[in-house]
Amino acid sequence: MMSVSENLLGNVFGIYLARATDEEILKRKVASGGAVTALLAYALEKGLIDGVVTAKRTEGLEGQAVVARTREELLETAGNKWSIVPFASRMKAKIEEEDLKNVAVVCLPCQAQFFGQMRDFPLLESDFGERIKYIVSLFCIGTFAFEAFLNYLRMKHGIMAQDIKDIVLKGDFLEIYHGDSVLSLPIKEVYSYLQAGCLVCTDYTGTWSDISAGFVESERGWTVLITRNLKAEELVKSAEKDGYIELRDGSHVMGEVLKAAREKLARAQKNMMYLL
Ligand code: SF4
């Protein structure tokens, strides 16, 4: 176990490489290892939570907020989320509509900050934060202003929104899976289509979360999990004990995660200089 440290990655209680043991989850989440889906399936099936609020990709890069209550519903949310789904504003209504008492939220670092602040420093008029049991943040380099990005893909590469199956970051390239083909774009070429706020965002892993999850190039097929407190650590260890995930020590990938976090910070600092 690592000591709690204050740094660019926030509080790090433990860092692991994890992989789902369920064949169905693995099949759908080959690149990422599927550990987040397996962890949430574990939390649902053990009654630790009564729902997961997450994004489900609909068409192209668009998504919608959904509540998953079962493993099957979780699996339906598969895929990378490359646009901000405005579920923060809709979440309270969803939780109340479905009478959820203990939810896990899968979100981006900026949303993790919103949910974390709401939980730790609730607004007087709201009891919304106390219903959030786990905040799971996905590593994030940015989300696209998707209309402009889709326009670019259509005009420059002839790719239509409805044909996009997935978008995966691989090293310095963004892979667009469309139809039966894959287009590999240098990440620098598409930076200008990121949301303006992303260009000055400094949080790569989601420091307000309970668990951060993502992947690194050197360990494809595995999910990097960063636990940030005892509650998160217990969830990960229990899921391993009960056979939902395989777990390895991930200390050796800390440098890779930190490198990506530093690059995001440097990008933000550079872009902030233009704004000042
Ligand atoms: S880069 Fe920052 S602001 Fe943009 S989606 Fe990711 S976490 Fe949110």
Side-chain angles (χ1 to χ4, degrees):
M1 183 189 302
M2 304 183 62
S3 61
V4 173
S5 60
E6 285 291 334
N7 56 33
L8 196 50
L9 302 184
N11 291 339
V12 177
F13 197 98
I15 179 163
Y16 303 97
L17 291 166
R19 188 162 65 182
T21 54
D22 181 296
E23 287 299 324
E24 186 58 27
I25 296 176
L26 270 181
K27 209 162 58 187
R28 299 217 206 171
K29 305 236 174 182
V30 176
S32 68
V36 172
T37 304
L39 265 185
L40 295 171
Y42 173 78
L44 279 171
E45 288 166 8
K46 296 293 171 188
L48 302 176
I49 52 173
D50 52 7
V52 176
V53 179
T54 185
K56 179 176 177 177
R57 202 148 48 81
T58 51
E59 185 182 84
L61 304 183
E62 283 192 78
Q64 65 183 50
V66 292
V67 175
R69 290 173 182 270
T70 64
R71 174 188 296 248
E72 289 66 36
E73 287 172 358
L74 272 177
L75 275 169
E76 283 172 21
T77 66
N80 289 271
K81 289 96 189 165
W82 278 86
S83 62
I84 292 180
V85 178
F87 61 70
S89 57
R90 297 184 203 148
M91 191 176 165
K92 187 167 189 245
K94 267 258 187 246
I95 289 172
E96 284 172 349
E97 267 164 41
E98 307 216 9
D99 199 26
L100 297 167
K101 302 284 191 287
N102 278 306
V103 297
V105 188
V106 183
C107 57
L108 301 171
C110 51
Q111 295 163 333
Q113 179 174 359
F114 170 80
F115 294 128
Q117 286 185 339
M118 186 167 267
R119 184 175 63 180
D120 296 350
F121 307 104
L123 299 172
L124 285 178
E125 69 272 21
S126 168
D127 63 352
F128 167 61
E130 68 188 24
R131 299 191 188 201
I132 301 172
K133 185 147 183 195
Y134 299 108
I135 300 171
V136 180
S137 173
L138 307 174
F139 295 179
C140 179
I141 63 155
T143 54
F144 292 107
F146 67 88
E147 281 193 15
F149 185 58
L150 288 178
N151 218 15
Y152 155 81
L153 287 178
R154 190 178 68 241
M155 302 297 282
K156 183 149 185 209
H157 300 285
I159 297 174
M160 307 302 286
Q162 62 271 22
D163 296 332
I164 299 173
K165 292 181 177 158
D166 207 353
I167 298 183
V168 176
L169 183 65
K170 198 169 183 184
D172 290 333
F173 290 86
L174 200 63
E175 293 185 337
I176 318 284
Y177 289 78
H178 63 103
D180 295 325
S181 313
V182 185
L183 172 71
S184 198
L185 293 170
I187 194 78
K188 288 208 167 72
E189 187 177 326
V190 296
Y191 264 163
S192 55
Y193 297 98
L194 291 180
Q195 307 267 4
C198 299
L199 296 174
V200 292
C201 173
T202 57
D203 190 358
Y204 176 61
T205 56
T207 56
W208 278 83
S209 65
D210 299 305
I211 299 175
S212 294
F215 57 89
V216 289
E217 266 311 297
S218 64
E219 293 280 4
R220 285 187 80 76
W222 291 83
T223 312
V224 180
L225 292 180
I226 297 174
T227 57
R228 301 191 178 279
N229 50 42
L230 190 56
K231 179 177 67 175
E233 185 75 7
E234 283 172 356
L235 177 68
V236 169
K237 289 290 171 67
S238 315
E240 182 201 19
K241 190 161 155 274
D242 285 2
Y244 281 66
I245 54 171
E246 279 179 70
L247 207 59
R248 291 162 51 205
D249 176 54
S251 309
H252 62 289
V253 301
M254 178 73 112
E256 247 177 289
V257 179
L258 201 50
K259 180 171 175 281
R262 284 201 183 108
E263 282 171 5
K264 187 169 178 183
L265 176 66
R267 180 182 82 186
Q269 286 171 332
K270 194 170 141 208
N271 287 321
M272 273 179 213
M273 275 167 34
Y274 292 121
L275 293 176
L276 294 175

